[in-house]
């Protein structure tokens, strides 16, 4: 599980989003074609893998099903299961696992939004589904590391994290200033932040900015230049470089592609 929780995910595409109720679905899966995450709103099922590994997933739990795995599913208590199949940009192997979620209601809502977007397939639906999946993986990684991080350290950088979310679009953010808010050294701030969120503070901030820029470009109401400034970038060359690194497209190409889908 730790490898999954420490991995920097690059989701290539969503393959399928589906809901199963009452124990429906195939019972035997051979050489699974994609990575999969399934959430149990209720009910309970046992997964028996070809190597003998047995994993039981029940109410409020997420189970990860590895690409290439072979397993048999035995439903002991019928219930609602929400699932997503996806591909990664790089070949990577994870072991299967299940994890109890601290806020199952939020996970359920995320899967519901993913399903609605997938079914209607309106413009930008793939990006939106990826966004929901990234959010789910982020929550899983965050909760995993919170389990091993003393609450005192979580609280220690809480004010700085709140400040990031309130100001990333409007004020310049530096690790020096953020660490001063917490009264700790920049090095210690980076260490705690990476342990808690799975990425460096700068990567976290840039992801927020790029996500905001994508939303503005997808709306069709803002130019690339306007989107850059409204997302907290004062340097257009830096914005273009970071945007292409994240999406594979320059801002104008991304806007044109999404406008053509509308």
């Amino acid at each position: 599980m730790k490898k999954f929780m420490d991995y920097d995910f690059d989701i290539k595409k969503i393959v399928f989003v589906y809901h199963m109720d009452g124990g429906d679905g195939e019972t035997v899966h051979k050489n699974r074609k994609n990575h999969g995450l399934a959430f149990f709103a209720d009910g309970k099922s046992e997964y028996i893998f070809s190597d003998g590994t047995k994993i039981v997933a029940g109410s409020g739990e997420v189970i990860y099903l590895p690409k290439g795995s072979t397993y048999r599913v035995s439903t002991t208590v019928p219930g609602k299961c929400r699932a997503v199949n996806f591909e990664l940009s790089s070949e990577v192997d994870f072991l299967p696992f299940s994890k109890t979620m601290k806020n199952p209601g939020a996970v359920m809502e995320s899967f519901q939004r993913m399903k609605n977007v997938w079914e209607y397939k309106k413009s930008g639906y793939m990006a939106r589904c990826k966004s929901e999946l990234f959010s789910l993986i982020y929550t899983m990684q965050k909760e995993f590391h919170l389990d091993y991080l003393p609450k005192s350290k979580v609280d220690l950088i809480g004010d700085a994290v709140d400040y990031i979310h309130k100001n990333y679009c409007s004020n310049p953010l530096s690790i020096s200033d953020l660490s001063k808010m917490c009264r700790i050294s920049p090095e210690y701030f980076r260490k705690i932040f990476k342990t808690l969120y799975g990425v460096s503070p700068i990567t976290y901030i840039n992801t927020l900015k790029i996500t905001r820029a994508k939303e503005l470009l997808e709306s069709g109401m803002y130019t690339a230049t306007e989107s850059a400034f409204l997302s907290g970038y004062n340097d257009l060359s830096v914005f273009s470089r970071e945007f292409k690194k994240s999406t594979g497209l320059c801002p104008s190409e991304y806007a044109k592609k999404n406008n053509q889908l509308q």
Side-chain angles (χ1 to χ4, degrees):
M1 185 192 298
K2 190 176 189 305
K3 183 179 179 181
F4 182 99
M5 296 305 179
D6 288 333
Y7 191 72
D8 185 8
F9 281 85
D10 185 4
I11 298 169
K12 183 178 181 180
K13 69 175 182 177
I14 305 295
V15 178
F16 195 49
V17 181
Y18 56 101
H19 289 187
M20 294 182 294
D21 296 324
D24 296 336
E26 298 180 9
T27 57
V28 178
H29 298 256
K30 295 182 178 181
N31 192 24
R32 184 182 174 87
K33 294 181 179 180
N34 317 110
H35 299 276
L37 285 170
F39 172 71
F40 285 79
D42 48 32
K44 181 181 292 186
S45 292
E46 182 179 60
Y47 291 73
I48 305 173
F49 292 82
S50 57
D51 64 356
T53 299
K54 294 182 181 181
I55 296 179
V56 176
S59 179
E61 290 185 300
V62 168
I63 183 171
Y64 166 71
L65 302 167
K67 180 179 179 178
S69 61
T70 295
Y71 55 92
R72 177 168 54 85
V73 184
S74 175
T75 300
T76 54
V77 180
K80 296 182 177 66
C81 178
R82 310 304 188 225
V84 56
N85 292 345
F86 57 96
E87 282 292 332
L88 300 177
S89 297
S90 302
E91 291 297 325
V92 59
D93 295 323
F94 302 113
L95 296 175
F97 66 84
S98 63
K99 184 184 187 314
T100 301
M101 303 302 295
K102 291 182 171 62
N103 189 351
V107 176
M108 182 71 166
E109 290 176 5
S110 184
F111 268 101
Q112 185 62 53
R113 287 192 295 269
M114 210 183 308
K115 179 176 179 290
N116 291 342
V117 172
W118 180 263
E119 288 183 345
Y120 285 104
K121 287 184 169 52
K122 293 183 178 180
S123 60
Y125 79 95
M126 183 62 74
R128 180 60 189 275
C129 284
K130 286 184 181 181
S131 175
E132 291 292 346
L133 180 54
F134 272 122
S135 178
L136 172 62
I137 292 174
Y138 157 74
T139 300
M140 292 172 66
Q141 291 181 332
K142 178 182 176 182
E143 290 188 4
F144 175 81
H145 289 291
L146 277 172
D147 291 339
Y148 297 93
L149 195 66
K151 186 176 183 300
S152 59
K153 291 185 178 180
V154 177
D155 294 339
L156 185 59
I157 66 170
D159 288 343
V161 174
D162 288 341
Y163 186 85
I164 288 172
H165 281 268
K166 291 176 182 177
N167 295 278
Y168 73 90
C169 284
S170 55
N171 295 327
L173 300 173
S174 72
I175 302 304
S176 176
D177 291 339
L178 292 170
S179 62
K180 285 179 181 178
M181 291 181 192
C182 309
R183 299 180 182 178
I184 56 178
S185 69
E187 294 74 20
Y188 192 42
F189 178 81
R190 289 190 186 94
K191 181 178 180 180
I192 294 178
F193 197 101
K194 179 68 179 290
T195 301
L196 181 58
Y197 292 99
V199 296
S200 69
I202 294 301
T203 298
Y204 187 89
I205 293 168
N206 286 341
T207 299
L208 288 174
K209 289 182 176 182
I210 294 299
T211 300
R212 177 58 176 160
K214 287 164 64 178
E215 291 173 349
L216 295 173
L217 290 170
E218 288 169 10
S219 73
M221 299 173 62
Y222 302 91
T223 65
T225 299
E226 292 170 335
S227 297
F229 290 126
L230 290 172
S231 302
Y233 285 96
N234 295 319
D235 188 320
L236 290 178
S237 62
V238 172
F239 169 65
S240 295
R241 183 172 65 250
E242 292 293 333
F243 194 94
K244 188 166 186 177
K245 180 181 178 182
S246 174
T247 66
L249 299 171
C250 69
S252 58
E253 291 172 336
Y254 185 89
K256 182 178 180 180
K257 179 179 179 181
N258 280 275
N259 288 335
Q260 288 175 342
L261 292 173
Q262 294 180 12

